[in-house]
Amino acid sequence: MTPLLFYQHAYRAITDFGFYRQVLVQPLSRTLSFLAYLCLHAALVSTLTIALYELPWISRGLEWAGRNFPTLVFTEGRLSLPEVDPARPLVLEYMGQSVWTFVFDPEGTQKEQQVPQPAVVLTPDKCFLIVDTRTQMSWAWRDVVVTTTVGREDWRTLETGMHRVVLPFSFVAFLLLFLATKTFQAALLTLVSSVSAARRGARLPLGFHFGICIYALTPAVAIDLVLQLTNLLSFMDFLPIYLATAALYAYRATQHCVEPAS
């Protein structure tokens, strides 16, 4: 399948239920190729939304850390903070998408209840994530640290290198995720397609239902990608509409496939 053919198929899958008759007679390889193209476009748009909406505030956070964090020195799985007074933990507040508190506690004496939250607390042995006065996660330095010293220049280097790593990694991860989830969604929709055919007194091979349902995902995916690009609604908020749209298209497309051609 060529890119031009993919766009033609995607357009007709959204606008013309009669097109689904063609899906029944085309080779399965073409249908799977359409699915691959659909997932490819979804991965590209999802990666683009990360570049537009996520990376900027992450970059600002790393830049802020480079200006404000003290030097972190790790020795044999323990953290020391040579620039912080041991008797007085350093407390910093970052005003990003929300307010986060970072506590550098050389003695590990800071109490959870005393920390404005959400907060990240760095002690000699561990790093804690605290939300609602409770420790949600903790990491022991000996298990995660692979360097000995983290200074201001290291945060700037991380910010620079992040763009070269995050976007390619995100694209590959999204592509693999969508290939798995869209295939699974199409498989689930075959139940809707089967019910639609049964109500018309018809029976189709399972592969025909699967092909119809792959194409029936197109309008739901298209709406989702538009919402991602405009940052109007999260996918979880859109999920009921996504599933309803796909199910409706699978149901109506199957009806058109089993009804006599006019």
Side-chain angles (χ1 to χ4, degrees), residues 3 11-12 24 89 104 106 117 123 125 129 132 135 140 153 211 221 254:
Y11 175 77
R12 296 190 64 189
L24 294 182
F104 300 86
Q117 296 161 23
T123 69
D125 296 312
L129 172 63
D132 296 330
T135 299
E153 288 301 322
V221 171
T254 303

Side-chain angles (χ1 to χ4, degrees), residues 14-248:
I14 296 172
T15 61
D16 181 13
F17 283 116
F19 163 74
Y20 285 81
R21 293 178 183 274
Q22 178 181 328
V23 175
L24 294 182
V25 299
Q26 73 180 15
L28 179 60
S29 59
R30 176 171 289 183
T31 302
L32 294 178
S33 179
F34 176 85
L35 175 63
Y37 269 99
L38 188 66
C39 294
L40 177 66
H41 283 71
L44 284 171
V45 170
S46 296
T47 304
L48 180 59
T49 59
I50 287 182
L52 292 175
Y53 302 115
E54 303 298 331
L55 281 185
W57 69 264
I58 295 175
S59 293
R60 288 193 295 271
L62 292 174
E63 182 183 359
W64 175 84
R67 294 196 310 268
N68 295 277
F69 276 14
T71 299
L72 312 179
V73 179
F74 298 95
T75 306
E76 298 181 352
R78 286 180 60 84
L79 168 67
S80 60
L81 301 163
E83 299 175 3
V84 179
D85 183 354
R88 189 175 181 181
L90 174 64
V91 180
L92 302 173
E93 285 192 347
Y94 174 62
M95 308 288 290
Q97 288 186 319
S98 59
V99 180
W100 280 79
T101 304
F102 292 85
V103 180
F104 300 86
D105 186 3
E107 297 296 321
T109 57
Q110 189 76 17
K111 301 298 183 182
E112 295 179 359
Q113 293 79 5
Q114 299 173 344
V115 180
Q117 296 161 23
V120 177
V121 180
L122 295 82
T123 69
D125 296 312
K126 292 183 178 181
C127 176
F128 298 90
L129 172 63
I130 303 174
V131 180
D132 296 330
T133 71
R134 298 182 60 184
T135 299
Q136 303 296 324
M137 288 184 286
S138 65
W139 302 270
W141 296 123
R142 64 177 178 273
D143 297 329
V144 298
V145 173
V146 294
T147 187
T148 56
T149 303
V150 179
R152 289 178 170 81
E153 288 301 322
D154 295 302
W155 294 108
R156 298 188 182 97
T157 301
L158 178 60
E159 178 195 358
T160 303
M162 179 184 63
H163 295 80
R164 294 196 296 266
V165 175
V166 170
L167 293 182
F169 175 82
S170 297
F171 172 74
V172 173
F174 277 129
L175 180 59
L176 295 176
L177 174 66
F178 290 145
L179 285 171
T181 57
K182 303 307 180 191
T183 301
F184 179 69
Q185 290 164 8
L188 286 180
L189 287 174
T190 58
L191 298 174
V192 177
S193 181
S194 299
V195 169
S196 178
R199 288 178 62 85
R200 288 292 189 272
R203 302 185 70 175
L204 296 173
L206 183 60
F208 285 11
H209 289 296
F210 185 64
I212 291 171
C213 293
I214 285 177
Y215 277 84
L217 289 171
T218 307
V221 171
I223 297 172
D224 175 43
L225 298 186
V226 171
L227 291 175
Q228 285 192 53
L229 286 173
T230 56
N231 201 31
L232 292 177
L233 195 66
S234 70
F235 179 73
M236 292 309 298
D237 293 332
F238 174 63
L239 182 59
I241 303 173
Y242 175 94
L243 296 175
T245 302
L248 176 62

